[in-house]
Amino acid sequence: LCIPRAADLDETQMRAVYAEATGYCERRRAMLLIDVRETTTDLERAQAWMTANDSLRHHNAAVYFPRIRVPDPLNGNRPRVVGASGTIAGLWARTDASRGVWKAPAGTDARLRNIDSLVYLLTDLQNGVLNPLGVNALRTFPIYGPVCWGSRTLEGADALASDYKYVPVRRFTLFLEESLYRGTQWAVFEPNDEPLWAQIRLNTGAFMQSLFRQGAFQG
């Protein structure tokens, strides 16, 4: 779920919108992509934003810094500064299709498409400051260009030691929950006896085995 305009609200309204959105995502087994404010233009402001919005931490949410510049077709394709949530949602979808939901949507193959540049260029040391806070960095590297260089949920701060520290882990568990929920609807009104249990074990086992063969449980 992306709500880019929420970042334009004042702090109180923004937190209220994102709190409602987080609850909705938890009920729907979805993820929320949070955008930082347009005034969050450097490392110090990013740290201050995270401190001020610590209440937004949730394992179904993720935030990316910095904001990005994209061509605006309504303004002669001149660069326009926007939140990164839409671009990151596209990256997640592309990674899901090519590698699977269990693959971290980050690294040199996680290139950010259709963007001009990043608002702020992070160094390795600055990246090392944001990562332990649970803020995912967007970086620019020679040859590769702009890429996503982080894959943590907002519960991914080192101090929290959450089981859902990483985006692919959380999204994979949500994928399993939703798939098993939808895939067993046929059993609701069947006679509750041994043949039904055996059929459920067979269906679930086949589904999990197919994921295993794709490398979903490697390691």
Side-chain angles (χ1 to χ4, degrees):
L1 177 62
C2 305
I3 314 175
R5 293 297 296 275
D8 299 333
L9 302 172
D10 66 56
E11 293 284 343
T12 303
Q13 290 177 320
M14 181 199 70
R15 282 192 283 270
V17 169
Y18 279 141
E20 287 290 330
T22 301
Y24 175 78
C25 286
E26 189 168 27
R27 293 191 299 272
R28 295 297 300 270
R29 300 189 183 97
M31 293 291 291
L32 174 66
L33 287 169
I34 293 177
D35 288 310
V36 296
R37 299 177 68 83
E38 192 165 1
T39 54
T40 310
T41 54
D42 56 34
L43 177 65
E44 289 71 26
R45 288 187 175 94
Q47 290 175 283
W49 185 93
M50 193 66 259
T51 300
N53 295 284
D54 203 59
S55 61
L56 296 179
R57 291 194 180 278
H58 193 275
H59 49 242
N60 282 39
V63 65
Y64 291 78
F65 173 82
R67 289 166 72 92
I68 61 177
R69 295 186 183 94
V70 300
D72 186 355
L74 301 180
N75 191 24
N77 282 330
R78 294 179 180 87
R80 176 185 175 186
V81 176
V82 298
S85 60
T87 298
I88 296 301
L91 170 63
W92 285 12
R94 193 173 80 235
T95 305
D96 291 352
S98 61
R99 299 288 300 276
V101 70
W102 50 87
K103 166 67 174 71
T108 53
D109 59 341
R111 300 183 186 183
L112 306 178
R113 296 181 180 173
N114 196 40
I115 77 167
D116 281 341
S117 60
L118 305 176
V119 169
Y120 185 75
L121 299 181
L122 290 163
T123 65
D124 289 341
L125 289 176
Q126 291 172 326
N127 192 158
V129 171
L130 290 178
N131 216 36
L133 298 177
V135 179
N136 297 312
L138 304 180
R139 304 281 305 274
T140 296
F141 293 111
I143 302 175
Y144 299 106
V147 299
C148 179
W149 206 248
S151 190
R152 296 195 184 204
T153 68
L154 269 175
E155 251 189 20
D158 287 351
L160 296 178
S162 171
D163 287 336
Y164 297 122
K165 183 176 184 177
Y166 296 107
V167 167
V169 174
R170 182 55 182 157
R171 292 189 70 228
F172 186 45
T173 57
L174 293 173
F175 168 74
L176 285 177
E177 287 179 23
E178 187 67 15
S179 298
L180 293 172
Y181 173 76
R182 294 187 186 188
T184 53
Q185 292 299 295
W186 60 269
V188 175
F189 297 109
E190 294 296 315
N192 186 18
D193 53 16
E194 183 59 42
L196 173 66
W197 308 335
Q199 189 63 42
I200 292 175
R201 284 195 296 269
L202 179 63
N203 288 6
T204 304
F207 171 65
M208 301 294 274
Q209 178 68 15
S210 70
L211 294 176
F212 174 77
R213 292 173 66 87
Q214 294 175 63
F217 302 110
Q218 185 173 1

